Structure formats: structure tokens, C-alpha cells
Amino acid sequence: MSHQPMESNMILGIDEITYGAEDLGTCRSFLRDWGLTLVQDTPERLVFECLNGCRVSVADPRQVALPAPFEDGPTLREVVWGVDSEASLRALREQLRQAPGFVEEEGGRRFGCTDPNGMAVRFQVSVKRPVQARGTVSNTWDRRERVDQPGTVYERAQPVEVGHVVFFVADLEATQAFYASLGFVTSDRYPERGAFMRCAPRGGHHDLFLLRTPDGRRGLNHVAFTVRDIHEVFGGGLYFSGQGWDTQLGPGRHPISSAYFWYFRNPAGGLIEYYADEDELTEAWEPRDFEPGPTVFAEWAIEGGLDGRTRRQKGRQADGKFLTDKRD
């Protein structure tokens, strides 16, 4: 397999992901509450769509042939990356034809291989559609762009797409080199521990984050869903929490990518994240090195999340209709 990077802007982002999980009933409720649209429902597989057509599948591995898992239990089995054209797809096919686990599917419209970490990666001409998903304009001290218009309050989230995936990797160097050969660019680093990578020189801070743990295990950390703005992170998280799903951490803000986040535990595997307002990077960006630590991961974060009913930190009691209404 060649390790020469592909031309920029070939890979556009994530088109589809597939989980392997046996409890489809819980996963159905979970992803509906998350804000996805159910487009296929069989005893063997669920298929959901984000606003722009990005798909999320959950298949029962007892009934459906899936790529081999890289960890025990429910987890991600496949990531499909969308490319910009048939010509790009042909070029990638030639590059990866000798790669481990190479397969062609759907009459040649999709193909892929296995990355050095054991994850099945596939490629297709992107099927995502343009979508109008306008965020709320923020009024800053020097830019007053929202005039005579209140900011949006979201009752729940409708994710635009799957924005990034995060994996624990056994061999960081080999896995990072594999994605670099496909045209991915390193945005920032934890030296010898982790790499934030975007699929093109121009784009959001990362589409992929690879993290080597001290024990060198392989697995899924989380899948992140892009929403319109910080207010949808809060609105979506509050609704989701109100449905009884468990927060892992959040809401909060990442200082490395500047994104606002809220993480929940996912019955299909790993964690799941709402996020918004990540940094936009270009070819001029120089990767930075960071030392891992709590304040590097989160500028601020709420442990245990916010209660979707009281709109307060979980475990705190709301006293009355106004904050001034105090109990004796």
C-alpha cells in the first residue's frame, strides 16, 4: 500500500457508521431520543439518518454478518467515509487494493479495508445532501448581529451529521500513518499519546482522534454528532437527560478544539457526544503539542450533567418558579 498522501479534499467526512449491538430495542429508543430519524427497522438492523443524510446503523451481530469487532461487547464495527467523486473513489481503490482486509461491496460502489487498529473502513461517493441548518448568531462585544431577535431555545436536538469518531489504538504511529496516507492532516497532538486528524487541509478541527492508552488497548471511545450551535448542545442534552439517559460528562468546553460538548453513555457502544463551535482550520494551521490533563481536556465541565426536568445540576433541587423563591 502506498503511503503517499492523496490529493486534498478527496475525503469529505463520515457518511455512515455501523454498530454491532444485540439490544436493538434499547438502541432504537436511545437514538430516536438523540434526534435521529428512523428509516429502516427490522429484527436484524436499525438504520437512522441525520439531517444531511449521514446514516447510523445498529445491527444484531448474532443475525447479521459484520466486520470483526476490535473489542468485546457492543461497539462500532464500520466507518464509511464519503469522497467527492467517482475519480477519487477509483484512485483510493487502487491505493488500497493490497491493504489488509480489502473488500468490494455493492457492485463496486463501496470498497474498503481494515485499518491498523482493526476497524473496518469503507469508502463511497458521498450520499450526504446539502442542508440548511442555521445556528443562532451570538452577540459579542464588538459584533451585534442579532437585533430585535431572541436567541433560539431548542426543545431537543436534530444532529446534522456524524462529525468525528474517537478510537483507543494499540499502535498510534501505524494507525496515524495509515490515515495520513489517505490525506488526513494532523491538527494537534498529545506527543506519543494521541493525534487529532482532519480529513482535508481545510475543515473542522478533527474528523478522527486516535488515543493510545497506557495499557495499549483497542476500542471505541466515542462518536460525536454535530449540532447547530451551543444552544442546541444544551437543548439536546437537557431533553436527552430528561428521557432518563445517563450523562458521562457535560455540558462543557474543550480548550483544544474550542467546541462545546455533552457526553452520554451509549447502549450501542462507547460514548456519544453532541458538539458545536469547533475551530475551522486551513493549510496555514500549525499543529500544537499538549500534555494530557483534566484542564486540557475540558476548560470547564459539569460532572453528572444537568437534570432535564429541573434544568439544574443533577441532584440539586429547584426551589420555585423564580430563583428568589426559597424554601424556609
Side-chain angles (χ1 to χ4, degrees), residues 33-44:
D33 287 345
W34 190 247
L36 305 183
T37 300
L38 183 63
V39 296
Q40 179 181 325
D41 187 349
T42 71
E44 299 82 24

Side-chain angles (χ1 to χ4, degrees), residues 118-137:
M119 173 53 57
V121 291
R122 303 290 185 259
F123 303 91
Q124 65 183 24
V125 175
S126 181
V127 298
K128 292 191 293 190
R129 52 185 177 264
V131 61
Q132 291 294 322
R134 295 185 178 276
T136 299
V137 175

Side-chain angles (χ1 to χ4, degrees), residues 59-133:
D60 184 342
R62 299 169 301 182
Q63 303 182 64
V64 176
L66 295 173
F70 61 178
E71 63 179 336
D72 295 334
T75 192
L76 204 61
R77 296 293 192 95
E78 179 183 88
V79 179
V80 180
W81 297 91
V83 304
D84 60 359
S85 67
E86 290 288 350
S88 295
L89 197 66
R90 288 193 297 271
L92 271 172
R93 183 185 292 110
E94 288 307 308
Q95 179 184 353
L96 295 173
R97 192 174 292 279
Q98 303 304 315
F102 181 83
V103 294
E104 291 197 74
E105 303 167 347
E106 300 184 11
R109 293 191 300 274
R110 180 186 291 186
F111 72 92
C113 63
T114 304
D115 78 9
N117 199 45
M119 173 53 57
V121 291
R122 303 290 185 259
F123 303 91
Q124 65 183 24
V125 175
S126 181
V127 298
K128 292 191 293 190
R129 52 185 177 264
V131 61
Q132 291 294 322

Side-chain angles (χ1 to χ4, degrees), residues 10-67:
M10 284 188 55
I11 298 176
L12 303 176
I14 297 169
D15 252 34
E16 184 175 341
I17 58 172
T18 298
Y19 292 94
E22 296 178 3
D23 189 352
L24 295 191
T26 299
C27 292
R28 181 189 297 107
S29 298
F30 182 90
L31 292 172
R32 274 179 162 170
D33 287 345
W34 190 247
L36 305 183
T37 300
L38 183 63
V39 296
Q40 179 181 325
D41 187 349
T42 71
E44 299 82 24
R45 184 186 294 269
L46 307 170
V47 181
F48 295 84
E49 279 193 356
C50 303
L51 283 179
N52 71 354
C54 182
R55 290 198 158 193
V56 177
S57 296
V58 186
D60 184 342
R62 299 169 301 182
Q63 303 182 64
V64 176
L66 295 173

Side-chain angles (χ1 to χ4, degrees), residues 309-310 315-328:
R309 184 181 63 84
T310 66
R316 298 293 297 273
Q317 184 68 38
D319 291 317
K321 293 183 178 180
F322 293 94
L323 290 177
T324 52
D325 295 346
K326 301 294 184 181
R327 293 180 177 179
D328 295 331

